[in-house]
């Protein structure tokens, strides 16, 4: 092949087709030669088209002489041609049609379908859909009756409905039926054909039911399940179906298949192709591939009979069924283990991975999955060898790089980490760029005029000329491809943001039409408004979109990685897009969320959603907030998305007088419906992108105003999050897109009363190339700190004094008692330390520690004589790496002054936080809860507010907390040099003087600062939970007012909510 020309090869192939039968071996060999060539030219594509023209006429009639016994050979030729075409042109319409040719060939040449009606791929797909629809026991339409009659046969398993005898194969009935039954199958919620979840035994029966014709002696069902030739047809057809499914998963458009099936989504068709392939040839690999597809589906996307069964629930059955066929199948074992891990069964997952690696020790994906599981179990040191072996076997296994770098960082193995971290970041950037080539052309399924009509019907105010021109420009960017696509355009992002824009504006418009601009109501309406019927501008378009891929670097990882603002913003946004896509396949994108009634008697309904209503830092910090809300002005609802852990914290929430609801076992749709039924005006997200969060709830927009608070210190980059509760230190005002856009439009004298729309390539578009902003939300600026604490209520066991008792106790007595308590505890922890030793400390997980900060700590130790550095074994594997690094960088003497202790229980941890003289913060991700614990104990800290990290909210939290004490000027620094100098100066300020009576008197600036923190903790804003809650309530009321009057949606201001504190802060300096 390599020594001949394409023309010579073509002539040889066409000559072999004249034989009866054709020389199939010759064809297979030559086509295989094409596939192994490193590159293929346009001539190869031309050759493929000519070959198909010799095999099949335009009317689909076969030109080659083919018997049923050789049907699989022709099928393989079409599949090979499709693979060659795909290699040359990608997933074009021509390429996909070749796969369809292969599938149709496999069916048409199977008796008795080889004569009579010419069945098409469309017939097969629709028949499969209807049969799946019937299996799922969703209520089918009574029309047309002949299709219902056609499937009433061959039920033999528990999950199949009873079928009566019929005289027609279902596929024939579909072929002759009208398209009316397609509408009968549409999911009324989404307006698309459903993603039906079938159990394995149901899927295996699919082809039998589709092709069954019991009144013939030689039916398709019999042909498909007997004989060597039909076995070969089955396997080849099954392979073609799976290959076509992969092409669609890679981004091929359903429209290019020529199916002419409206309302057909990529996900639903891919799932159906897998079912059909599995039913033709139920191999272990087919069960594995189907399980993978089900796992990728959103939760509860397609319920099965009379039970809540998510895709993951049923995927497990497919994996188990596949393992019955081949217990050693490597990918089945690996995927089954991953499913167990994702379900929280880590120990069982490790067992499965161990078994897989005993059978297949070089299986790279199992190595990575084992490593990921160990890392998530808090065993990063154990994970590292598995990651290293995986990338040694397969250097291109990109999923391993991020986990490897994070695991190495967790144990402070920085030298090796830097290499893998560089690779992980580079791969992340590649993943972020891939989406610019996905979902291209989906908006072009409607004209620009149609889109503009949707905009006009959505907005309650007319658009000015300037705003209208902006809308035209936006749609033309995606619908007019005559000049080629512009770079950095993410069409899927624009579509999902447009859907949320539409749904939020329509919700507001209907509220105004129903109630007027009424902030509060005096009485409930006689009957709540029903959802009005709407047009369906998005359902069909969304069905053509594919699931948004997310980079291997997750949003929470960005807290500890040195990434620029645009990269962090896009990582968060890609996860937001996936969340939006997941929920929009469950609720119709055209459905307008139900309206809450106006707050009755000025009482706002506020809902908090969290997976951390348990023994978790969030509950430790917010425990009292919900009870401190003004019950006359706020009705509080708590929605717990995780099951009870049996802790005292969970019991506190469950048994209190709160509207607490455990929705952990509910589907996302059921939770959304309940929130709408509760008429929630403001919904608060306490999770963000942390583990266990259910952001799909927020993406469905069950509440008019949605706010991110406390759980995630960063942007969600999601249009379904309206506000971020923050403060001026953690989130500088110029980093908000809305602020920058308002300033720019004000300078250009744009109409400030028009809706700001859905930006593309500018402020507000998370995909924009601008590095000058990061937050897509509008800010709610709290007056002191956005961070709330509960120490004032929950952590009084040290002194055993109430707030009132402490306020009436002389300051000198409080201070002397504290000095004694601290000295006793210090001796218990470090009995060998002299009195003049200075204890620096950091209690964060060592994974947030970077080399530059550790080097600074070593410098501080060297410059402060008799000082030590107290760290936690968090994890324990980090100790040896840090000690070894300290020896290499600073010598044995400095390294010997680093002390490690185990992590303590929460109460004891807070109690012993009084022991250090000075807490040293970290720069990339600062202390959060730990900083509050330390400051409550009276221990000063050095907090970072470096200009280089101003775009990272997570790096500035400790600085915010320190400022909220009233003594931030002494503790917050703006550079690494200032950090070191401040720590050294405070450490060296301590002086120990031996009195004539033998007592030791300690004094110095550091001790004075400690005294101020200790004596003022009950009055400083940082620990005033009641004050913080009242300020949050002010923000809620302002946010509700802005939503009702529509200023939330207009560029009439910069979108900021500034909360003012009405209470002065008393400071006791003595």
């Amino acid at each position: 092949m390599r020594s001949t020309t394409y023309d010579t090869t073509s002539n040889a192939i066409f000559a072999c087709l004249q034989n009866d039968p054709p020389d199939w071996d010759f064809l297979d060999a030559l086509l295989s030669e094409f596939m192994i060539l490193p590159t293929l030219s346009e001539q190869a594509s031309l050759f493929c088209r000519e070959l198909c023209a010799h095999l099949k006429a335009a009317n689909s009639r076969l030109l080659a002489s083919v018997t049923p016994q050789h049907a699989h050979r022709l099928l393989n030729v079409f599949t090979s041609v499709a693979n060659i075409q795909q290699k040359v042109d990608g997933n074009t319409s021509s390429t996909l049609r070749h796969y369809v040719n292969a599938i149709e060939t496999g069916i048409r040449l199977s008796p008795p379908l080889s004569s009579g009606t010419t069945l098409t791929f469309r017939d097969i797909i629709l028949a499969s859909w209807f049969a799946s629809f019937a299996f799922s026991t969703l209520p089918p339409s009574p029309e047309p009756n002949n299709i219902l009659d056609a499937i009433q046969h061959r039920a033999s398993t528990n999950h199949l409905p009873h079928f009566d005898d019929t005289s027609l194969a279902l596929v024939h009935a579909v072929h002759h039926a009208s398209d009316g039954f397609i509408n009968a199958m549409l999911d009324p919620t989404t307006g698309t054909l459903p993603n039906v979840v079938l159990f394995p035994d149901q899927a295996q029966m699919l082809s039998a039911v589709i092709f069954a014709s019991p009144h013939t002696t030689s039916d398709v069902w019999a042909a498909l399940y007997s004989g060597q030739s039909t076995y070969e047809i089955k396997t080849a057809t099954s392979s073609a179906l799976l290959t076509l499914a992969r092409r669609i998963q890679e981004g091929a458009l359903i429209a290019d298949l020529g199916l002419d099936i409206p309302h057909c989504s990529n996900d639903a068709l891919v799932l159906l192709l897998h079912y059909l392939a599995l039913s033709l040839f139920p191999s272990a690999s087919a069960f594995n591939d189907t399980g993978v597809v089900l796992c990728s589906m959103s939760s509860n996307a397609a319920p099965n009979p009379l039970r809540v069964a998510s895709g993951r629930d049923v995927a497990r059955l497919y994996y188990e069924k596949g393992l019955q066929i081949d217990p050693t199948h490597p990918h089945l074992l690996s995927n089954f283990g991953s499913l167990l891990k994702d379900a929280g069964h880590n120990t069982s997952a490790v067992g499965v991975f161990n078994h897989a690696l005993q059978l297949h020790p070089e299986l790279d994906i199992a190595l990575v999955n084992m490593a990921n599981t160990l890392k998530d179990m808090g065993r990063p040191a154990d994970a590292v060898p598995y990651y290293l072996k995986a990338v040694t076997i397969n250097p291109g296994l990109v999923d391993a790089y991020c986990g490897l770098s994070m695991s190495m960082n967790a144990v402070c193995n920085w030298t090796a980490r830097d290499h893998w971290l560089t690779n992980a970041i580079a791969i992340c950037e590649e993943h972020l760029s891939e989406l610019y080539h996905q979902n291209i052309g989906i908006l072009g399924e409607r004209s620009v005029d149609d889109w503009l009509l949707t905009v006009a019907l959505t907005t309650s105010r007319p658009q000015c000329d300037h705003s209208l021109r902006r809308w035209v420009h936006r749609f033309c960017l995606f619908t007019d491809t005559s000049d080629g696509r512009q770079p950095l355009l993410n069409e899927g992002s624009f579509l999902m943001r447009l859907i949320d824009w539409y749904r939020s504006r329509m919700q507001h418009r209907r509220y105004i039409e129903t109630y007027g601009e009424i902030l509060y109501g005096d009485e409930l309406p006689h009957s709540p408004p029903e959802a009005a019927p709407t047009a369906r501008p998005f359902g069909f378009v969304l069905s053509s979109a594919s699931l948004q891929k997310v980079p291997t670097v997750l949003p929470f990882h960005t807290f500890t990685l040195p990434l620029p603002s645009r990269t962090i913003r896009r990582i968060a946004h890609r996860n937001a897009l996936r969340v939006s896509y997941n929920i929009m396949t469950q609720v119709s994108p055209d459905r307008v969320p139900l309206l809450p009634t106006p707050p009755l008697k000025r009482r706002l309904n506020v809902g908090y959603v969290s997976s951390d209503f348990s023994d978790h830092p969030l509950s430790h910090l917010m425990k009292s907030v919900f009870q401190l809300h003004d019950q006359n002005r706020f009705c509080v609802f708590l929605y717990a998305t995780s099951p009870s852990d049996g802790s005292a914290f969970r019991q506190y929430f469950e048994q209190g007088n709160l509207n607490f609801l455990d929705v952990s076992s509910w589907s996302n749709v059921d939770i959304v419906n309940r929130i709408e039924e509760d008429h929630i005006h403001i919904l608060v997200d306490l999770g963000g992108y942390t583990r266990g969060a259910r952001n799909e709830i927020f993406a469905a927009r069950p509440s008019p105003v949605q706010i991110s608070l406390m759980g995630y210190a960063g942007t969600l980059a999601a249009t379904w999050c309206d506000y971020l509760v923050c403060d001026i230190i953690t989130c500088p005002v110029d980093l908000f897109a809305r602020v920058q856009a308002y300033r720019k439009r004000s300078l250009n004298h744009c109409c400030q009363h028009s809706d700001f729309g859905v930006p593309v390539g500018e402020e507000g578009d998370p995909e924009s190339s601008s590095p000058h902003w990061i937050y897509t939300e509008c800010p709610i600026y709290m007056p002191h700190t956005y961070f709330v604490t509960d120490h004032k209520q929950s952590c009084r066991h040290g002194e055993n004094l109430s707030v009132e008792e402490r306020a009436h106790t002389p300051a000198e007595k409080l201070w002397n008692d504290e000095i004694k308590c601290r000295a006793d505890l210090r001796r218990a922890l470090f009995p060998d330390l002299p009195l003049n030793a200075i204890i620096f400390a950091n209690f964060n997980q060592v994974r947030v520690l970077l080399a530059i900060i550790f080097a600074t700590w070593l410098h501080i130790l060297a410059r402060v004589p008799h000082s030590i550095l107290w760290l936690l074994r968090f994890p324990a594997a980090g100790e040896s790496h840090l000690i070894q690094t300290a020896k290499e960088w600073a010598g044995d003497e400095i390294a010997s002054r680093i002390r490690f202790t185990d992590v303590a229980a929460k109460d004891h941890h807070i109690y012993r936080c009084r022991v250090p003289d000075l807490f040293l913060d970290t720069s990339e991700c600062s202390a959060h809860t730990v900083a509050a614990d330390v400051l409550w104990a009276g221990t000063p800290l050095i907090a970072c507010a470096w200009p280089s990290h101003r775009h990272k909210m997570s790096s500035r939290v400790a600085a915010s907390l320190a400022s909220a004490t009233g003594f931030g000027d002494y503790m917050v620094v703006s550079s690494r040099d200032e950090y070191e100098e401040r720590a050294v100066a405070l450490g060296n300020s301590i002086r120990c003087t031996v009195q004539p009576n033998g007592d030791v008197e300690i004094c110095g600036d550091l001790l004075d600062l400690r005294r101020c923190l200790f004596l003022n903790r009950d009055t400083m804003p940082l620990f005033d939970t009641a004050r913080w809650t009242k300020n949050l309530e002010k923000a809620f009321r302002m946010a509700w007012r802005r939503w009702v009057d529509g200023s939330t949606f207009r560029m009439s201001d910069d979108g900021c909510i500034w909360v003012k504190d009405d209470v002065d802060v008393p400071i006791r300096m003595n």
Side-chain angles (χ1 to χ4, degrees):
M1 177 67 183
R2 294 185 178 86
S3 60
T4 61
T5 65
Y6 284 117
D7 290 338
T8 302
T9 304
S10 299
N11 292 333
I13 292 180
F14 299 146
C16 89
L17 291 175
Q18 306 307 314
N19 299 331
D20 187 9
D23 190 342
W24 299 111
D25 291 337
F26 179 73
L27 274 177
D28 286 345
L30 287 177
L31 291 173
S32 297
E33 284 288 312
F34 268 117
M35 282 304 299
I36 64 175
L37 290 175
T39 58
L40 292 172
S41 68
E42 180 61 30
Q43 286 180 294
S45 181
L46 178 62
F47 160 75
C48 289
R49 288 194 293 270
E50 292 178 354
L51 173 59
C52 289
H54 281 75
L55 293 172
K56 191 175 182 181
N59 63 359
S60 297
R61 183 176 60 86
L62 291 178
L63 299 176
S65 176
V66 184
T67 64
Q69 288 72 26
H70 293 126
H72 69 283
R73 306 300 299 270
L74 179 58
L75 191 157
N76 288 333
V77 168
F78 280 129
T79 302
S80 296
V81 166
N83 290 333
I84 293 170
Q85 189 82 34
Q86 198 273 338
K87 191 173 181 181
V88 175
D89 295 333
N91 293 320
T92 63
S93 175
S94 175
T95 300
L96 299 181
R97 285 301 305 168
H98 289 313
Y99 289 116
V100 171
N101 285 340
I103 295 165
E104 288 179 341
T105 298
I107 299 300
R108 289 176 183 172
L109 294 179
S110 300
L113 298 183
S114 53
S115 61
T117 304
T118 301
L119 297 174
T120 66
F121 180 61
R122 180 178 186 271
D123 297 330
I124 299 164
I125 292 302
L126 289 177
S128 301
W129 226 310
F130 195 86
S132 300
F133 195 74
F135 288 161
S136 71
T137 69
L138 294 173
S141 164
E143 298 178 355
N145 289 327
N146 63 320
I147 294 184
L148 288 177
D149 293 337
I151 62 173
Q152 303 298 307
H153 185 64
R154 294 196 185 276
S156 61
T157 67
N158 294 332
H159 294 303
L160 294 178
H162 177 68
F163 295 145
D164 297 321
D165 285 347
T166 179
S167 58
L168 285 174
L170 176 57
V171 69
H172 282 291
V174 169
H175 179 81
H176 293 292
S178 68
D179 288 344
F181 77 98
I182 296 179
N183 293 328
M185 288 192 294
L186 293 181
D187 185 330
T189 302
T190 63
T192 61
L193 289 168
N195 294 357
V196 182
V197 172
L198 298 182
F199 293 107
D201 52 358
Q202 294 172 320
Q204 283 185 264
M205 289 294 294
L206 192 59
S207 61
V209 172
I210 292 170
F211 301 116
S213 182
H215 291 259
T216 63
T217 57
S218 175
D219 61 20
V220 182
W221 184 83
L224 286 171
Y225 286 85
S226 64
Q228 180 62 31
S229 63
T230 51
Y231 171 84
E232 290 167 339
I233 292 175
K234 285 192 301 177
T235 56
T237 306
S238 176
S239 177
L241 286 164
L242 292 175
T243 305
L244 178 58
R246 281 195 294 273
R247 298 293 177 248
I248 297 173
Q249 288 173 304
E250 292 166 358
L253 297 177
I254 292 180
D256 290 337
L257 286 171
L259 285 177
D260 190 27
I261 302 178
H263 318 296
C264 174
S265 72
N266 285 19
D267 288 348
L269 181 57
V270 165
L271 184 59
L272 201 67
L273 291 173
H274 278 82
Y275 289 151
L276 192 54
L278 185 149
S279 70
L280 290 169
F281 184 60
S283 65
S285 294
F287 280 104
N288 175 70
D289 293 346
T290 308
V292 171
V293 173
L294 286 164
C295 275
S296 69
M297 290 170 50
S298 52
S299 176
N300 297 319
N304 210 281
L306 306 178
R307 58 167 284 183
V308 176
S310 72
R312 288 184 174 274
D313 293 333
V314 183
R316 176 169 182 166
L317 301 179
Y318 280 84
Y319 292 148
E320 291 173 342
K321 190 82 170 182
L323 288 171
Q324 291 174 14
I325 298 172
D326 182 1
T328 68
H329 193 285
H331 295 292
L332 272 170
L333 288 168
S334 183
N335 289 330
F336 183 45
S338 293
L339 187 145
L340 292 173
K341 168 189 172 292
D342 293 341
H345 307 303
N346 288 327
T347 302
S348 298
V350 168
V352 172
F353 293 136
N354 272 326
H355 179 61
L357 292 171
Q358 287 173 1
L359 296 170
H360 311 280
E362 303 295 300
L363 184 59
D364 52 4
I365 191 64
L367 289 165
V368 171
N369 287 336
M370 169 69 98
N372 288 337
T373 306
L374 292 172
K375 175 174 68 69
D376 290 349
M377 293 173 70
R379 296 165 55 187
D382 295 332
V384 168
Y386 289 97
Y387 281 127
L388 289 174
K389 185 175 180 180
V391 296
T392 301
I393 294 169
N394 182 2
L397 193 61
V398 298
D399 290 345
Y401 288 84
C402 181
L404 177 55
S405 61
M406 298 298 288
S407 294
M408 286 185 166
N409 196 59
V411 297
C412 299
N413 187 349
W414 296 314
T415 303
R417 182 212 65 157
D418 289 345
H419 167 72
W420 301 111
L421 178 59
T422 301
N423 285 323
I425 292 175
I427 291 167
C428 174
E429 292 290 350
E430 291 177 7
H431 287 174
L432 290 172
S433 299
E434 287 176 359
L435 268 190
Y436 300 130
H437 308 289
Q438 186 181 357
N439 290 318
I440 293 176
I442 53 177
L443 286 163
E445 296 182 15
R446 299 182 73 210
S447 68
V448 172
D449 288 341
D450 287 341
W451 285 120
L452 292 176
L453 180 60
T454 298
V455 171
L457 293 174
T458 304
T459 54
S460 56
R461 296 172 182 264
Q463 300 290 300
C464 67
D465 290 343
H466 178 79
S467 178
L468 185 60
R469 286 195 300 271
R470 291 172 69 87
W471 276 112
V472 172
H473 173 69
R474 290 163 183 160
F475 288 119
C476 286
L477 284 173
F478 299 105
T479 58
D480 182 6
T481 58
S482 57
D483 298 327
R485 289 295 302 272
Q486 295 187 18
L488 306 183
L489 288 181
N490 185 340
E491 193 161 349
S493 166
F494 180 75
L495 174 61
M496 299 312 304
R497 290 185 291 122
L498 183 65
I499 290 172
D500 187 74
W501 176 88
Y502 166 81
R503 298 176 80 244
S504 61
R505 270 55 171 187
M506 287 298 294
Q507 183 187 39
H508 177 258
R509 179 171 183 168
R510 288 189 181 163
Y511 182 92
I512 299 302
E513 291 172 350
T514 304
Y515 303 113
E517 289 192 12
I518 297 177
L519 281 174
Y520 308 103
D522 293 328
E523 60 183 18
L524 286 173
H526 296 297
S527 60
E530 297 182 358
T534 65
R536 293 185 177 272
F538 297 105
F540 179 63
V541 178
L542 182 63
S543 70
S544 300
S546 55
L547 183 66
Q548 299 283 319
K549 297 179 181 177
V550 296
T552 54
V553 176
L554 298 178
F556 195 74
H557 295 158
T558 63
F559 286 13
T560 58
L561 296 179
L563 298 172
S565 59
R566 180 170 179 260
T567 299
I568 295 173
R569 185 179 72 217
R570 287 190 298 160
I571 290 172
H573 183 55
R574 297 300 167 79
N575 283 267
L577 293 179
R578 175 179 283 263
V579 166
S580 295
Y581 182 90
N582 283 344
I583 194 63
M584 287 301 111
T585 60
Q586 301 173 54
V587 300
S588 171
D590 302 306
R591 174 187 177 271
V592 177
L594 294 180
L595 302 178
T597 56
L600 184 62
K601 300 187 184 301
R602 303 182 61 84
R603 196 174 187 226
L604 283 169
N605 294 331
V606 178
Y608 291 91
V609 180
S610 178
S611 62
D612 299 322
F613 291 126
S614 57
D615 187 2
H616 184 277
L618 183 83
S619 291
H620 303 166
L621 295 166
M622 295 194 70
K623 178 181 176 182
S624 300
V625 168
F626 313 113
Q627 296 282 12
L628 287 171
H629 273 302
D630 184 346
Q631 302 299 315
N632 295 320
R633 291 289 178 259
F634 294 89
C635 183
V636 177
F637 296 77
L638 305 184
Y639 302 97
T641 59
S642 62
S644 175
D645 63 347
S647 66
F649 288 94
R650 181 59 169 246
Q651 293 174 13
Y652 172 84
F653 296 127
E654 291 175 339
Q655 298 171 7
N657 59 350
L658 301 166
N659 296 301
F660 181 89
L661 191 61
D662 183 342
V663 295
S664 58
S665 63
W666 296 23
S667 72
N668 291 326
V669 174
D670 288 339
I671 299 173
V672 168
N673 291 339
R674 176 55 186 261
I675 291 172
E676 289 183 342
E677 291 169 5
D678 289 338
H679 293 273
I680 299 300
H681 303 103
I682 295 176
L683 192 64
V684 183
D685 184 357
L686 298 178
Y689 293 125
T690 56
R691 183 176 299 176
R694 301 273 292 271
N695 287 310
E696 285 82 0
I697 298 167
F698 292 86
R701 277 231 171 248
S703 174
V705 180
Q706 301 189 161
I707 296 174
S708 175
L709 169 67
M710 281 295 291
Y712 184 81
T715 182
L716 300 185
T719 52
W720 34 263
C721 183
D722 304 308
Y723 293 97
L724 171 64
V725 177
C726 59
D727 56 65
I728 198 63
I729 293 177
T730 53
C731 301
V733 69
D734 61 295
L735 295 180
F736 285 87
R738 172 73 177 265
V739 172
Q740 289 212 5
Y742 173 72
R743 292 173 178 176
K744 184 176 293 186
R745 294 195 186 186
S746 296
L747 292 174
N748 295 334
H749 305 290
C750 298
C751 178
Q752 297 181 2
H753 296 290
S754 295
D755 191 294
F756 54 78
V758 184
V760 180
E762 56 186 325
E763 290 80 5
D765 178 6
E767 300 287 346
S768 132
S769 60
S770 173
H772 302 304
W773 61 275
I774 187 168
Y775 301 106
T776 59
E777 304 86 350
C778 288
I780 290 177
Y781 278 119
M782 297 291 276
H784 305 288
T785 178
Y786 86 96
F787 202 87
V788 65
T789 66
D790 197 56
H791 296 71
K792 187 174 179 179
Q793 292 72 231
S794 303
C795 302
R796 310 204 66 85
H797 46 274
E799 297 174 321
N800 293 318
L801 294 174
S802 68
V803 174
E804 294 75 16
E805 290 170 341
R806 196 174 195 268
H808 290 91
T809 302
E812 199 61 30
K813 173 174 174 46
L814 290 173
W815 181 237
N816 289 334
D817 290 345
E818 172 63 13
I819 289 176
K820 182 180 184 305
C821 176
R822 181 169 176 258
D824 292 342
L825 189 54
R826 173 182 165 129
R827 279 192 297 271
L829 281 169
F830 303 108
D832 60 320
L833 282 187
L835 289 176
N836 63 343
I838 301 299
I839 302 176
F840 297 108
N842 182 279
F843 299 145
N844 295 338
Q845 296 184 51
V846 295
R847 66 178 176 83
V848 304
L849 179 58
L850 296 183
I852 186 173
I853 284 293
F854 189 63
T856 303
W857 290 353
L858 297 179
H859 294 164
I860 293 170
L861 288 178
R863 296 178 61 188
V864 180
H866 311 296
S867 62
I868 69 165
L869 176 62
W870 177 15
L871 303 175
L872 299 182
R873 299 185 181 100
F874 199 9
E879 179 176 358
S880 60
H881 285 288
L882 287 175
I883 295 297
Q884 182 60 36
T885 301
K887 290 179 179 179
E888 294 172 0
W889 291 359
D892 291 347
E893 194 276 330
I894 296 295
S896 69
R897 290 199 261 145
I898 301 177
R899 306 287 187 93
F900 284 86
T901 64
D902 292 330
V903 178
K906 180 68 176 180
D907 289 346
H908 188 59
H909 155 73
I910 294 176
Y911 183 65
R912 72 181 190 179
C913 277
R914 57 177 28 95
V915 171
D917 293 287
L918 184 63
F919 182 91
L920 302 176
D921 193 22
T922 45
S923 57
E924 201 68 50
C925 181
S926 73
H928 295 190
T929 305
V930 169
D933 296 338
V934 166
L935 290 169
W936 174 255
T939 297
L941 57 78
I942 302 294
C944 304
W946 299 359
S948 58
H949 291 68
R950 67 192 304 268
H951 65 286
K952 296 188 69 171
M953 182 180 183
S954 60
S955 75
R956 304 168 70 85
V957 174
S960 170
L961 270 62
S963 297
T965 65
F967 302 97
D969 290 345
Y970 301 98
M971 296 185 283
V972 179
V973 297
S974 58
S975 69
R976 194 210 66 81
D977 289 341
E978 186 182 2
Y979 181 107
E980 180 177 331
E981 294 303 323
R982 183 74 58 85
V984 170
L986 288 173
N988 285 330
S989 72
I990 296 297
R991 295 289 181 267
C992 296
T993 304
V994 180
Q995 299 299 314
N997 62 1
D999 292 341
V1000 177
E1001 181 178 328
I1002 303 175
C1003 61
D1005 293 343
L1006 184 56
L1007 196 65
D1008 292 341
L1009 180 56
R1010 171 182 290 278
R1011 177 187 173 96
C1012 290
L1013 292 172
F1014 175 76
L1015 294 178
N1016 287 281
R1017 69 184 185 186
D1018 274 343
T1019 56
M1020 61 179 56
L1022 176 59
F1023 299 112
D1024 194 339
T1025 318
R1027 178 198 307 221
W1028 185 93
T1029 304
K1030 285 183 173 59
N1031 286 330
L1032 184 67
E1033 291 175 348
K1034 296 176 189 176
F1036 286 166
R1037 292 199 172 278
M1038 285 188 275
W1040 175 246
R1041 178 180 294 277
R1042 287 177 56 79
W1043 185 83
V1044 172
D1045 67 25
S1047 57
T1048 295
F1049 310 117
R1050 299 190 300 271
M1051 199 55 71
S1052 54
D1053 57 43
D1054 62 8
C1056 300
I1057 291 179
W1058 296 89
V1059 180
K1060 303 298 182 183
D1061 197 344
D1062 299 330
V1063 183
D1064 291 331
V1065 182
I1067 298 294
R1068 180 161 55 175
M1069 301 298 295
N1070 54 11

